[in-house]
Amino acid sequence: MDNRQAIGSWLSGPRAAMEEAGADFGYRGEQLGLPEEGPNSIARPGRRLGALAVDWGLCVLIAYGLITHGYNPATGNWALGVFFVLSALTVGTVGSTPGKRIFGIRVLALDSGTVSPGRSLLRTVLLCLAIPALVWDRDGRGLHDRLAKTVEVRI
């Protein structure tokens, strides 16, 4: 192996290096019984981040305009509270937040398909802590989704 291959494998990460060595990981969502592409396939990170940005922007606008009446240090805290309520209520009832709906994503429970209010609450608490959402498994699900036994899929 020359230096370019060594650096290339380091830059592309351990999954790419293992696949190059012959390991077959399959596609994201295969272990969950989901299709590789199209409706009900795992939502890609770009869509999920876009939906999160839309939801957060909406919550900041609500906190800015309706609660703090302008910007002050408490606006961010109020925005997090609004985000918590928005996410817990909308995911627990209709299965997606406004941002997720715009980006064509919904949240499903793995066993029943419908996210119960309890699962939605657990998922939202972990999402608001931020660290569980940054730890992903090989299917691309965050730790908050794994612990709540949910998955974000394309509509």
Side-chain angles (χ1 to χ4, degrees), residues 34-78:
L34 300 174
E36 185 172 5
E37 295 178 1
N40 289 331
S41 64
I42 296 277
R44 297 287 182 201
R47 282 180 184 247
R48 296 191 328 226
L49 288 174
L52 181 64
V54 168
D55 290 336
W56 183 254
L58 180 65
C59 293
V60 168
L61 284 174
I62 291 170
Y64 180 84
L66 298 178
I67 299 171
T68 61
H69 304 293
Y71 182 78
N72 63 45
T75 304
N77 295 333
W78 280 106

Side-chain angles (χ1 to χ4, degrees), residues 122-138:
L122 173 65
R123 182 182 186 280
T124 303
V125 167
L126 293 171
L127 183 61
C128 287
L129 292 175
I131 297 299
L134 297 174
V135 178
W136 293 356
D137 65 3
R138 69 179 254 190

Side-chain angles (χ1 to χ4, degrees), residues 1 15 17 27-28 30 56 59 79 83 91 97 103 105 108 111 113 123 132 139 144:
M1 177 182 285
R15 180 180 177 125
Y27 61 87
R28 294 177 190 257
E30 183 175 19
W56 183 254
C59 293
F83 179 79
V91 170
T97 61
F103 279 85
I105 300 172
L108 295 177
D111 53 0
R123 182 182 186 280
D139 288 320
H144 64 295

